[in-house]
Amino acid sequence: MPEGSTEAESGTQRRTPQWGMAIDLDRCTGCEACVVACSSENNVPTAGEDQSAKGRAMHWIRIDRYYEGDFPNIRVRHRPVLCQQCDEAPCEPVCPVNATYQNAEGLNVQVYNRCIGTRYCAINCPYTVRFLNWYPPEWAEPLGLQLNPDVSVRPAGVVEKCTFCVQRIKRAKLNAAAEGREVGDGEVQPACVQSCPAEAMVFGDLSDPTSRVAHLANSRRAQRLLEELGTKPRVFYLERAD
Ligand code: SF4
C-alpha cells in the first residue's frame, strides 16, 4: 500500500495523499454511465463510426465484457478498465520526451504539450488505455458548448488517457487549503465515480488507513489487473463472490 508523505502548504504541514480506486465487480451492471460521464467531463472526442470501423477508439474508460457458459445459460461479466495509475508504469520509461511520469500523489501524469505522439507509451501499456488523437477533435454544433473549461482539448498527435479527473482533485485541494483542513474522504469524486448508479467505484487516499478505498483495497476480494506483470496498479478490483 502506498505510504503518504507530508508537504508544506500555506505554512502548515499537509499529508500528500496517494490516490487510488476500488471497483466492485459485484455491483457493476455494465451500464456505461461512467464511460459517458468521463467523456463529457474530460472533453474526450468520439472516434465516430468510420474510424471505429478501422479499429480506432477514443475513450478513457471502457467496459470489458466476458461471457461464461453456453446459450441460453450465458452469464455476462463486466470490468471497467481505465488507466491503472501504476506505481511501476510501463508507459513511463519508454517515453522519449518524459511526457508521462508519476507525480508525488501517485498519479501517472501525461504532459500534453510535451507529447510528440510516438505512441511508445500506448504500445507498452498492457491495459491499452492510452489513445492517440489522429485528427483534430471536432464536436458537431451545439455539442461544442458542453466542453468543460477546466480541461484542455487535446490537439491531433497527442496521446491522452484517464487522469483520475485531476481537475477535480486540484479543486478539492484548493478548497481544503483555503479552509485550512485536509481533503476529506470521499470529497474527490472523479466523473466515473460520481455517475455510477450502482456505486461500484470508490476513490480516495490509499495511504489513509481510515479511508473507504483503503478498506476495500485490503479486502480479501481485492485483486489488481495483470498484477503478475509487476506494474503495481492503483486500481483494485473486488472480484465477484460467485
Ligand atoms: S457506471 Fe457503474 S455500473 Fe455502470 S458500467 Fe460504470 S462502473 Fe459499471
Side-chain angles (χ1 to χ4, degrees), residues 28-34 63 80 196-198 200-201:
C28 177
T29 62
C31 71
E32 301 212 12
C34 52
I63 308 299
C196 178
M201 309 168 112

Side-chain angles (χ1 to χ4, degrees), residues 8-193:
E9 242 178 56
S10 307
T12 57
Q13 287 289 310
R14 296 192 189 284
R15 227 159 43 83
T16 303
Q18 298 298 308
W19 303 114
M21 185 180 286
I23 303 177
D24 190 339
L25 299 182
D26 239 348
R27 286 175 174 256
C28 177
T29 62
C31 71
E32 301 212 12
C34 52
V35 179
V36 175
C38 171
S39 292
S40 180
E41 167 76 14
N42 293 297
N43 301 337
V44 180
T46 44
E49 199 173 337
D50 293 344
Q51 294 300 317
S52 296
K54 293 176 182 168
R56 292 186 181 145
M58 178 59 80
H59 37 237
W60 290 5
I61 178 171
R62 68 175 187 268
I63 308 299
D64 280 355
R65 292 184 190 83
Y66 301 91
Y67 299 94
E68 282 181 7
D70 296 313
F71 183 81
N73 299 315
I74 292 179
R75 296 203 60 176
V76 183
R77 307 205 181 254
H78 306 284
R79 182 185 298 269
V81 181
L82 62 163
C83 174
Q84 306 286 299
Q85 311 285 349
C86 308
D87 280 347
E88 302 288 345
C91 54
E92 292 172 8
V94 295
C95 177
V97 293
N98 204 24
T100 187
Y101 68 96
Q102 187 181 39
N103 75 6
E105 299 180 5
L107 298 177
N108 174 250
V109 176
Q110 179 76 2
V111 184
Y112 294 131
N113 60 5
R114 199 182 289 163
C115 175
I116 55 172
T118 63
R119 293 179 289 149
Y120 292 155
C121 58
I123 293 163
N124 221 33
C125 172
Y127 307 104
T128 54
V129 290
R130 292 175 156 264
F131 300 92
L132 177 79
N133 279 318
W134 285 87
Y135 302 103
E138 291 178 1
W139 282 267
E141 289 304 326
L143 295 179
L145 299 175
Q146 69 162 13
L147 294 178
N148 183 352
D150 289 341
V151 180
S152 62
V153 174
R154 286 75 54 186
V158 166
V159 168
E160 57 181 65
K161 56 130 205 140
C162 161
T163 66
F164 272 169
C165 286
V166 68
Q167 66 280 4
R168 295 189 176 204
I169 295 174
K170 191 82 181 168
R171 185 182 304 153
K173 286 173 62 182
L174 288 172
N175 288 342
E179 294 165 13
R181 59 176 177 80
E182 302 277 354
V183 175
D185 186 32
E187 191 174 340
V188 183
Q189 288 205 326
C192 55
V193 175

